[in-house]
Amino acid sequence: MTTADPYRPTPARLHNAILGGKDHYAPDHALATSLAANKITPAITESRRFILRAVEYLIDQHEVSQFVELGCGYPHAPNIHEIAGDRNDDLTRILYIDNDPVVAAYGRALLTGPNRFFTDTDLTDTSAVLGDIIAVMDTARPIAVFVSGTAELISDAPAMVTALTDRLASGTWMVFTHITDDVHTHQIHSATQVFRSAGIAYHARGRDEITAMLTGYRLVTPGLIAPHRWRPVPGTGVPALSTTPRHRAASDLSAYAAVGRLHR
């Protein structure tokens, strides 16, 4: 039986605390509180809202109904399957992947329902990840892969994303966010040190490195941009977390976001 250490923050629980969820312990809450005034906090929260807007966009504009979230963390309403299900529940197929054993236990218990799947595959094992996708998705229809709040936790994330891209079918969508130290550099470096002091390896990256990770994808307008500036239209009105940005459009954020389609 898997147990959780309540005395040491984990990436999944900390992310949940920053987003205002309930699946975390006192150390996670304390760490999130210490970062509340840091510019990394709105970057993380707006990245989440972008992800949900991207789901709506892909369904409404491109008839995508199959979604894979890599490093999904604890379920946090609204989840991708709730946004997608609100649009077209009959065709929606969701695969969540996270190798945190406690997250996996939560996911399997809470993310129940038809055409919802959860695996605890190591994301750096891209062959296994692709196997998971092929096992549950209809490869004859478009698939969207989400990487948000995940690459920052993987030291060799550029290699991981490139290896996955090499194995994905042409036409696959990528929805991507990444915290950057290009903007508010001092605060992001400070936040990174806070993460690392808590035992969480964290890697903010610059625009050039993030752009390279998206090689092969044709980005839809407006391209690689701060998440709160990516198509900031009203969402579904789900009360738990609106998809509409809350950060002022004129204010910079320490994150990039993009939606692109793999083209070979």
Side-chain angles (χ1 to χ4, degrees):
M1 178 178 180
T2 301
T3 59
D5 182 353
Y7 303 107
R8 182 174 180 175
T10 69
R13 293 201 311 258
L14 176 60
H15 194 253
N16 181 268
I18 290 174
L19 292 179
K22 298 180 180 179
D23 294 308
H24 55 268
Y25 296 133
D28 309 290
H29 178 76
L31 192 58
T33 299
S34 73
L35 292 168
N38 190 285
K39 297 295 184 179
I40 200 169
T41 295
I44 290 172
T45 56
E46 289 299 342
S47 292
R48 176 66 179 177
R49 294 188 186 102
F50 154 77
I51 285 295
L52 301 179
R53 290 198 306 283
V55 175
E56 296 176 330
Y57 165 79
L58 289 172
I59 294 173
D60 294 345
Q61 301 298 319
H62 298 281
E63 299 183 343
V64 178
S65 59
Q66 300 187 109
F67 305 93
V68 180
E69 186 174 16
L70 305 184
C72 59
Y74 285 96
H76 184 79
N79 294 286
I80 289 176
H81 69 268
E82 292 169 319
I83 296 292
D86 183 63
R87 286 296 207 268
N88 192 350
D89 196 38
D90 292 337
L91 293 177
T92 298
R93 188 175 290 257
I94 311 288
L95 170 61
Y96 295 103
I97 303 178
D98 200 302
N99 69 340
D100 180 319
V102 181
V103 168
Y106 267 71
R108 290 191 175 102
L110 298 177
L111 299 175
T112 58
N115 295 326
R116 298 177 194 170
F117 308 91
F118 199 109
T119 69
D120 57 1
T121 302
D122 183 344
L123 299 183
T124 62
D125 186 348
T126 52
S127 294
V129 170
L130 184 64
D132 289 343
I133 294 172
I134 292 173
V136 301
M137 295 291 167
D138 179 356
T139 55
R141 295 193 289 123
I143 298 170
V145 177
F146 289 70
V147 180
S148 179
T150 302
E152 298 91 332
L153 300 169
I154 302 174
S155 61
D156 59 348
M160 184 266 297
V161 173
T162 298
L164 183 63
T165 296
D166 288 345
R167 291 167 170 81
L168 291 172
S170 181
T172 300
W173 291 91
M174 174 68 75
V175 181
F176 191 86
T177 75
H178 204 298
I179 299 299
T180 183
D181 53 8
D182 288 347
V183 183
H184 304 301
T185 302
H186 176 74
Q187 289 213 31
I188 298 305
H189 287 175
S190 175
T192 297
Q193 289 305 313
V194 171
F195 278 105
R196 292 179 178 174
S197 296
I200 299 173
Y202 202 82
H203 310 273
R205 295 182 171 93
R207 185 182 183 91
D208 288 347
E209 193 169 10
I210 294 169
T211 298
M213 295 168 75
L214 295 171
T215 298
Y217 296 91
R218 288 182 176 175
L219 305 187
V220 301
T221 304
L224 186 64
I225 195 170
H228 66 309
R229 294 179 180 141
W230 193 92
R231 299 176 181 257
V233 295
T236 60
V238 177
L241 175 64
S242 172
T243 65
T244 306
R246 298 177 186 174
H247 196 72
R248 292 181 302 165
S251 299
D252 288 330
L253 275 179
S254 300
Y256 290 117
V259 175
R261 196 170 194 183
L262 185 58
H263 178 77
R264 302 193 195 283

